[in-house]
Amino acid sequence: MFYRFLSFLALPLSLLLFISCQKEETNPSISSQGSIQIDAANSRTFVQRDLNNQGKIVLVGQSSQSFTSAQVKFKNILGGKESDWLNLSKEGSKFKGEFVLQAGGYYPEIKLIQDSKTVSDSTLSQSPFKVGEIFAVIGHSLAEGQPPYELTDYDKEWCEIVKYSESNVVAFWGRLADKLKNRYQVPIRIYSTGIGGSTSEQWGKSALGLEFSSSLFDWKKRYPYSFFENRILSEVPKSGLRAVLVIHGENDATTSMDNIIKYTGVYMDYTREILQSKNLSFMLARSNRGLNKTEDLHVQEAQNIMLKTLPNVIEGANLQSVVGAGFRWDGTHFNFAGLEEAARKWDIVFDPKVFSQMTPILRSR
């Protein structure tokens, strides 16, 4: 049974499901088109584009028909550039290939050949291949989202919000993905790994396995950071990553300014270490209740300092301006209007020059 609390320090509904770290459910392991099957589990169907606006995908499949050779053509549906017919390697009934594609969204057309005769020429497969932008999220309940407040009307074909379970909400991340997809004509994936009730200090201490007091998180199991760590170590080597988006602040009201700065730097450095990417960028939102109270002013000042002094940290959305009853249903969490405005604020910061400042992690396996 899952418990739901309405305070901003509440344990999220999905916390117990986080422990199981279920795999993404948006893609089946096998997709079929007639006698041809694409093995999505062993293919690499969504990869981060590189600085040359390209990415290397992997296609693995098999056929129940006999064939001596196989070819594939990638039809561009979203941006990108259609490929020529490309040769696939063959081993028994299986075929495989690695191909560099321009950033965009594609459907593969696969042709099987038996002794110079085409025996199967599939229509467009229902397994899209995507070269685009991939982000992960660190943060508290504003990053995770709370039911019933979520924006679900976005392009789910080319915008993927990877959740731990179907019980999680997508908050405003789908709307942001939609905006970025439309602007840059590339697919967008966001690993939704914010965890409600968490503070910057808890993320930093749990990354290193340091003790802290909490009624929500077991520091001995390195919660909450280990939830995030399990996801990115499982997914990022296969997909790549552009940057980590950070939303912390509201829960840091009782954390000292020095500890906010210190432990934010700790989990950023630790994330770079485990992903073996010393230049990985973090986009830090100005996130707090936007009030002129002592507990908010020191959070604002900590965020000012971090944006100026921490390496490879870029200013994210100005969420401290999305405040008031019109945007936050309980003074802290976003209502539907707040979600729309949060997505708009994040979209604003993603101008072309921001991408030039961030060195992406590329697929390594």
Side-chain angles (χ1 to χ4, degrees), residues 145-174:
Q146 309 82 41
Y149 298 104
E150 62 175 331
L151 303 177
T152 58
D153 53 334
Y154 61 93
D155 184 352
K156 297 176 181 63
E157 182 172 22
W158 303 111
C159 299
E160 299 182 12
I161 310 304
V162 181
K163 305 182 299 180
Y164 283 100
S165 84
E166 287 305 307
S167 297
N168 289 42
V169 300
V170 299
F172 59 84
W173 298 117

Side-chain angles (χ1 to χ4, degrees), residues 2-5 11-17 144 146-147 167-168:
F2 296 93
Y3 296 88
R4 178 174 164 194
F5 300 87
L11 179 66
L13 291 174
S14 58
L15 180 55
L16 294 179
L17 285 171
E144 183 186 25
Q146 309 82 41
S167 297
N168 289 42

Side-chain angles (χ1 to χ4, degrees), residues 73-87:
K73 175 187 288 188
F74 292 94
K75 297 274 192 176
N76 58 314
I77 307 300
L78 172 69
K81 180 181 179 182
E82 180 177 323
S83 75
D84 297 327
W85 283 104
L86 306 168
N87 292 325

Side-chain angles (χ1 to χ4, degrees), residues 9-262:
L9 290 176
L11 179 66
L13 291 174
S14 58
L15 180 55
L16 294 179
L17 285 171
F18 266 20
I19 298 174
S20 66
C21 287
Q22 296 179 15
K23 294 184 178 179
E24 178 186 359
E25 298 176 1
T26 56
N27 289 329
S29 60
I30 296 290
S31 58
S32 178
Q33 182 68 44
S35 65
I36 296 174
Q37 295 177 318
I38 293 178
D39 183 351
N42 290 306
S43 298
R44 296 292 173 259
T45 60
F46 200 134
V47 298
Q48 170 65 46
R49 62 176 173 172
D50 62 21
L51 296 178
N52 294 317
N53 199 40
Q54 298 177 328
K56 182 181 289 186
I57 61 90
V58 178
L59 186 156
V60 179
Q62 62 185 24
S63 176
S64 58
Q65 288 186 272
S66 296
F67 63 97
T68 54
S69 63
Q71 294 181 323
V72 62
K73 175 187 288 188
F74 292 94
K75 297 274 192 176
N76 58 314
I77 307 300
L78 172 69
K81 180 181 179 182
E82 180 177 323
S83 75
D84 297 327
W85 283 104
L86 306 168
N87 292 325
L88 292 158
S89 62
K90 178 184 181 300
E91 183 176 341
S93 63
K94 298 181 179 180
F95 52 81
K96 179 179 180 179
E98 292 192 16
F99 307 102
V100 175
L101 302 177
Q102 292 291 313
Y106 299 85
Y107 283 120
E109 185 175 352
I110 298 170
K111 179 165 60 178
L112 304 180
I113 302 168
Q114 178 73 37
D115 299 325
S116 301
K117 181 180 179 182
T118 299
V119 294
S120 176
D121 191 345
S122 76
T123 58
L124 296 183
S125 167
Q126 295 307 303
S127 282
F129 283 75
K130 306 168 186 179
V131 179
E133 292 293 341
I134 301 175
F135 304 95
V137 174
I138 282 178
H140 51 39
S141 52
L142 269 68
E144 183 186 25
Q146 309 82 41
Y149 298 104
E150 62 175 331
L151 303 177
T152 58
D153 53 334
Y154 61 93
D155 184 352
K156 297 176 181 63
E157 182 172 22
W158 303 111
C159 299
E160 299 182 12
I161 310 304
V162 181
K163 305 182 299 180
Y164 283 100
S165 84
E166 287 305 307
S167 297
N168 289 42
V169 300
V170 299
F172 59 84
W173 298 117
R175 179 72 82 249
L176 172 62
D178 228 7
K179 290 176 180 292
L180 295 177
K181 178 214 70 175
N182 291 335
R183 196 199 309 196
Y184 292 104
Q185 289 296 290
V186 297
I188 305 293
R189 173 183 282 185
I190 299 176
Y191 295 118
S192 181
T193 41
I195 301 172
S198 60
T199 68
S200 297
E201 183 174 356
Q202 289 169 345
W203 275 79
K205 286 186 172 180
S206 61
L208 300 184
L210 301 178
E211 183 175 359
F212 60 88
S213 178
S214 171
S215 61
L216 302 181
F217 304 111
D218 186 346
W219 71 268
K220 294 179 181 178
K221 296 181 179 179
R222 298 180 54 244
Y223 298 158
Y225 187 88
S226 62
F227 296 132
F228 170 81
E229 180 178 30
N230 291 338
R231 168 61 74 183
I232 62 172
L233 287 181
S234 170
E235 299 294 338
V236 170
K238 297 183 293 186
S239 67
L241 184 72
R242 172 66 76 168
V244 180
L245 314 183
V246 178
I247 302 179
H248 262 134
E250 283 77 359
N251 284 11
D252 287 341
T254 58
T255 304
S256 71
M257 186 170 70
D258 288 345
N259 279 353
I260 293 172
I261 297 168
K262 175 180 178 179

